[in-house]
Amino acid sequence: MTAARPHPAVPELAGALAGRVTGPRDAAYDELRRVHNAMIDKRPAVIVQPVDENDIVIALRIAKDHGLDVSVRGGGHAPVGFAICEGGVVIDTRGLTRCVVDAPARRARVGAGLTWGQLDAATQEHGLAVTGGRVSSTGVVGLTLGSGSGWLERMMGLAADNLVGVRLVTADGRVVEADERHHPDLLWAHRGGGGNFGVVTEVTFALRPVGPTVLGGLRMYPVSQAKQVLRAYREVMAKAPDELCGGVSLLTAPPAPFVPEPARGKPVLALLTLWSGPLETAREGIAPLDALGEPVVDLVEPMPYTALQRLLDKPDARNYFTAGFLAELSDESIDALMAISGGFISPMSQIILQPLGGAYARGSAGESALGHRDAGWAFQVLSQWTDPERDAENLAWTRAAKQRLAGFAQAAGFSNFVADDGPASVRVAYGDDTLRRLVAVKRAWDPENVFRHNHNIAPGGHGA
């Protein structure tokens, strides 16, 4: 098939930018427009890969001159496909990979193109970390702006809670830095408000000592023990110190050498354990978990923190998910979760269940756009599959799972956890009070709603 004629903006951008400009006729186009969710198939007019902020300023101006939509790409993991816009200009920031770790100050300045695997590697050189994504290929900035949930939440809170600075190019072409002293409302809005306010080029995190070697890993229990293990785990985590981190994955055991043959392809409960405190206290710290039962797989051992962060990595696939919070992990909610996990359509799918509390619970909603600090547990029902012909049944299964959990769950409060688009998704993500404050920040910084390919906070009102 002959590629579409290039939009007039393509040669104009190519002549004006120092970075790479790719149109539909270029060989790299299809690869550059591909995102983590293989269900997304959008064709932008042009993909811009800036080398600096000046490129972004020019790209925004030219897009506006031609009346083209703009989307911003970091890691491209969002299930809704916000990173790519149909017929518009994609500003792909993956080339902005500068990372400076100030170990004495426990700070990291992180370029918008970095992935969590790259950031973890840089901070672990100094035995430091910030709460990072559970998949190492996820983009740092996108995950952080929508919450930044990860295994270290109990010790450090969300990634957004540890965000102390943001540098961005605004809709009118200014380069702005926001921190607690300069534009504090803009910093607050970026702690959970998504990419609604500009093209973020750099973020600054507060770091904490973690690793580089931690005690952690996976223990797998057969489905026959799962309810008993979950109930016991619930009691352990109710009294656990902040340093005892991790969570549960209900999944299908892979056909891997470390899984005994009888368990392969069968439903299992995988307990991911992470002791985030000093290594010399780790065995005593995880001792309560040793009494949960006899696992069929026990891979808990001293390991690099960076290796633990890659334990749930998977190849790109078609995906859709639902998520929410539980005030408590009741016996009834455990029964519902087990029933859902027993009916996976795809062996790639899983349910992640994470105990909260600790530093997460101590975070103040007034310091970020993220609420639900009183929730005891968070869950994610993650559907993944490869066959396009099975899209409908996997989507229906995920929505049925959401419905089954509705009697126990609070609505998802983080935009990263909302897999559907539209005004209703924004209200679910923030609630009216927080949304009103976010709308005020949006009006101040993006009154024309240039940055609308996201869970959009429209300047005209509550996501309308």
Side-chain angles (χ1 to χ4, degrees), residues 277-300:
L279 191 59
E280 58 268 23
T281 65
R283 287 293 175 188
E284 180 181 356
I286 74 164
L289 300 179
D290 297 336
L292 294 185
E294 188 66 30
V296 295
V297 173
D298 189 349
L299 301 177
V300 173

Side-chain angles (χ1 to χ4, degrees), residues 94 97 99 113-124 136 138 140:
R94 287 179 293 174
T97 56
C99 182
L114 241 64
T115 64
W116 280 107
Q118 292 169 322
L119 177 57
D120 287 338
T123 58
Q124 282 294 281
S136 65
T138 306
V140 169

Side-chain angles (χ1 to χ4, degrees), residues 37-350:
N37 185 355
M39 292 180 69
I40 305 302
D41 184 21
K42 297 179 182 177
R43 300 186 64 84
V46 58
I47 300 168
V48 170
Q49 295 175 284
V51 297
D52 56 23
E53 290 165 338
N54 187 57
D55 273 357
I56 296 172
V57 171
I58 295 170
L60 287 172
R61 175 179 58 77
I62 292 176
K64 184 176 181 180
D65 288 347
H66 287 272
L68 293 173
D69 281 0
V70 172
S71 65
V72 182
R73 175 168 189 169
H77 272 241
V80 190
F82 290 137
I84 307 295
C85 58
E86 186 70 39
V89 177
V90 174
I91 298 178
D92 184 339
T93 64
R94 287 179 293 174
L96 305 180
T97 56
R98 178 175 178 266
C99 182
V100 178
V101 179
D102 183 343
R106 295 183 180 175
R107 292 287 189 272
R109 292 180 68 94
V110 181
L114 241 64
T115 64
W116 280 107
Q118 292 169 322
L119 177 57
D120 287 338
T123 58
Q124 282 294 281
E125 289 184 12
H126 309 278
L128 299 170
V130 64
T131 303
R134 298 182 184 90
V135 176
S136 65
S137 61
T138 306
V140 169
V141 168
L143 188 75
T144 299
L145 300 186
S147 73
S149 177
W151 301 126
L152 287 174
E153 274 175 59
R154 286 177 47 78
M155 180 191 184
M156 298 188 65
L158 301 160
D161 295 334
N162 295 280
L163 185 66
V164 296
V166 179
R167 185 176 172 96
L168 67 153
V169 178
T170 63
D172 58 3
R174 286 178 290 163
V175 178
V176 172
E177 293 204 36
D179 55 31
E180 294 289 359
R181 293 183 301 164
H182 307 95
H183 312 299
D185 272 2
L186 190 58
L187 174 64
W188 171 85
H190 279 93
R191 291 174 174 160
N196 271 282
F197 312 100
V199 182
V200 172
T201 59
E202 187 178 78
V203 294
T204 302
F205 290 112
L207 307 174
R208 289 273 301 275
V210 175
T213 300
V214 297
L215 183 64
L218 286 172
R219 285 175 175 158
M220 290 186 181
Y221 300 85
V223 69
S224 60
Q225 294 177 232
K227 287 185 182 181
Q228 172 189 338
V229 170
L230 266 181
R231 288 169 180 163
Y233 183 60
R234 172 184 64 192
E235 303 309 314
V236 168
M237 297 312 296
K239 304 172 185 176
D242 294 0
E243 292 84 357
L244 187 54
C245 300
V248 169
S249 177
L250 300 169
L251 74 164
T252 303
F258 62 83
V259 179
E261 181 66 39
R264 295 177 189 176
K266 304 289 178 58
V268 294
L269 182 151
L271 180 64
L272 188 140
T273 298
L274 166 60
W275 179 259
S276 61
L279 191 59
E280 58 268 23
T281 65
R283 287 293 175 188
E284 180 181 356
I286 74 164
L289 300 179
D290 297 336
L292 294 185
E294 188 66 30
V296 295
V297 173
D298 189 349
L299 301 177
V300 173
E301 60 185 358
M303 67 172 62
Y305 173 73
T306 52
L308 183 136
Q309 284 288 89
R310 296 193 298 269
L311 287 179
L312 296 188
D313 281 6
K314 287 185 177 182
D316 291 354
R318 308 177 81 78
N319 64 76
Y320 183 76
F321 59 72
T322 188
F325 297 93
L326 302 171
E328 61 176 353
L329 187 62
S330 64
D331 288 350
E332 292 79 10
S333 61
I334 289 174
D335 290 344
L337 288 163
M338 294 309 306
I340 294 167
S341 66
F344 285 137
I345 292 175
S346 167
M348 298 176 67
S349 297
Q350 63 179 311

Side-chain angles (χ1 to χ4, degrees), residues 79-80 82 321 323 412-421 425-426 428-429 455:
V80 190
F82 290 137
F321 59 72
F414 303 158
S415 62
N416 280 349
F417 291 171
V418 180
D420 297 301
D421 196 7
S425 71
V426 178
V428 166
H455 286 298

